[in-house]
Amino acid sequence: MSQNNSRMQRMAPPPARGPRGGRSGRPGAKASAVRPATTSDWIAGARLRTLPLAVAPVLIGVGAAKVIEGVGIWHPVRSLLCLAVAVLLQIGVNYANDYSDGVRGTDEFRVGPGRLTGSGKAAPKKVLAVALTFFGLAAVAGLILVLLTQYWWVLIVGAAAIAAAWFYTGGKRPYGYYGLGEVFVFVFFGLVATAGTTYMLAGSVNQEAWFGGVIAGLIACAVLMVNNIRDIGPDKQARKRTLAVLLGNVASRIVFCVFLLVPFGILAVLALFYPFAWFGMFALLAALPACVITLFGKTPRELITALQLTSITGLLVAIALGAAYAF
């Protein structure tokens, strides 16, 4: 009898595993038992806590444009379109990451908030369709901007931004899996978003926009870094080599603090010429706790709190600097 049992065990099929041979992501649960995504799940999938990263460079860019154009000249329609492009692109990136990480099996090891694709709450094709919809809306807003300004060459920049957003975690060799995510964030959610806003409003880019873009970009990198610090263990299992994975637990926490605090040094220099920018230093009330939590935090919940504080920091700094430039 025992021989028959051992023979049956050898013949039994192996337990279900993910695309990379990891856990299925829903231990002990059948696909049919997963609750379908609700409206709140889809809203959560947009990851609203990251949206300040899209708003911040636009605020700075609008202020920098005022330095060029002078008092009394405003472009509310173009400013709102710049904001729409940035926000829609950010949401599109979030859903695209949800889709790409989910179908790769990366999210099977995830310890943070659940994802639509990885959790099985939404079909991958639906998540992809939503991501492409937001990319499309961003493209439409950008096209309207180009029609209003006649800066046709900017279409190339817009196409590059959408392509970079997709290939962050999409495609056969996503660069986000090779430690280059911060490069994309710094360039497109820092320099391009800030300088691009200024250009679309004023027709040129000044040093105020570039300095502001560096500030916005570094804080955006800090948000990405603390998010990836939380997932160092799971990302190693999924073979996702983020910058946090490559640097290691201790070094990545130090780099996070550098990303978050260097902007305040730049802000202090700018405040010598634009005194209202000193009010941005109040954002240290959020930045310093974020650094302390990241340096010593051990649980995912603590690091999510640090991420939220970092996003708030970016928005507060942008409001102060944008106002300093504008007024």
Side-chain angles (χ1 to χ4, degrees):
M1 186 69 177
S2 60
Q3 292 178 348
N4 291 337
N5 288 339
S6 62
R7 187 179 298 111
M8 292 175 64
Q9 289 174 355
R10 288 195 299 271
M11 295 174 61
R17 303 178 73 84
R20 292 188 179 274
R23 299 170 298 177
S24 67
R26 300 188 300 277
K30 295 181 179 179
S32 60
V34 178
R35 175 178 56 84
T38 63
T39 301
S40 61
D41 290 325
W42 283 101
I43 293 174
R47 289 185 253 175
L48 301 183
R49 65 172 64 91
T50 65
L51 296 189
L53 303 181
V55 176
V58 175
L59 293 178
I60 297 172
V62 170
K66 292 295 296 176
V67 175
I68 297 173
E69 297 184 302
V71 179
I73 300 177
W74 295 94
H75 304 284
V77 174
R78 277 189 268 170
S79 298
L80 289 174
L81 285 170
C82 288
L83 181 62
V85 170
V87 171
L88 291 169
L89 188 60
Q90 176 69 64
I91 296 175
V93 168
N94 292 339
Y95 281 119
N97 291 347
D98 188 306
Y99 165 78
S100 296
D101 283 342
V103 296
R104 287 180 186 278
T106 304
D107 284 341
E108 294 172 6
F109 307 96
R110 185 175 173 82
V111 296
R115 298 280 190 90
L116 292 164
T117 307
S119 67
K121 291 182 178 180
K125 289 184 178 180
K126 288 185 178 180
V127 179
L128 176 60
V130 172
L132 294 178
T133 297
F134 277 100
F135 284 148
L137 291 173
V140 170
L143 180 59
I144 294 173
L145 259 174
V146 169
L147 290 172
L148 291 175
T149 61
Q150 297 295 297
Y151 301 143
W152 295 100
W153 69 270
V154 175
L155 289 174
I156 299 174
V157 179
I162 293 175
W166 171 254
F167 288 108
Y168 171 51
T169 56
K172 293 183 178 180
R173 296 180 66 85
Y175 62 85
Y177 280 59
Y178 296 93
L180 297 175
E182 281 76 7
V183 175
F184 158 73
V185 166
F186 180 78
V187 171
F188 286 98
F189 284 94
L191 300 179
V192 172
T194 308
T197 298
T198 301
Y199 185 81
M200 298 307 286
L201 299 182
S204 62
V205 181
N206 52 12
Q207 62 183 357
E208 285 83 358
W210 291 119
F211 282 122
V214 171
I215 290 174
L218 287 174
I219 295 176
C221 286
V223 170
L224 180 59
M225 178 62 80
V226 72
N227 183 71
N228 289 338
I229 289 171
R230 181 196 65 206
D231 293 330
I232 285 179
D235 284 343
K236 283 183 178 179
Q237 289 180 280
R239 300 176 186 177
K240 183 178 182 179
R241 295 181 291 247
T242 63
L243 183 59
V245 169
L246 295 175
L247 292 175
N249 187 51
V250 175
S252 59
R253 292 172 190 253
I254 295 173
V255 170
F256 164 82
C257 295
V258 173
F259 281 155
L260 188 55
L261 297 181
V262 165
F264 287 96
I266 301 173
L267 186 66
V269 174
L270 292 173
L272 298 176
F273 304 93
Y274 300 96
F276 195 86
W278 285 113
F279 284 97
M281 293 298 177
F282 282 107
L284 283 168
L285 295 174
L288 291 177
C291 288
V292 172
I293 293 171
T294 301
L295 286 173
F296 302 104
K298 296 180 180 179
T299 67
R301 178 66 258 178
E302 290 173 309
L303 294 173
I304 290 173
T305 299
L307 185 154
Q308 294 169 333
L309 289 171
T310 306
S311 293
I312 292 171
T313 297
L315 185 59
L316 293 177
V317 169
I319 291 172
L321 185 56
Y325 285 162
F327 303 107

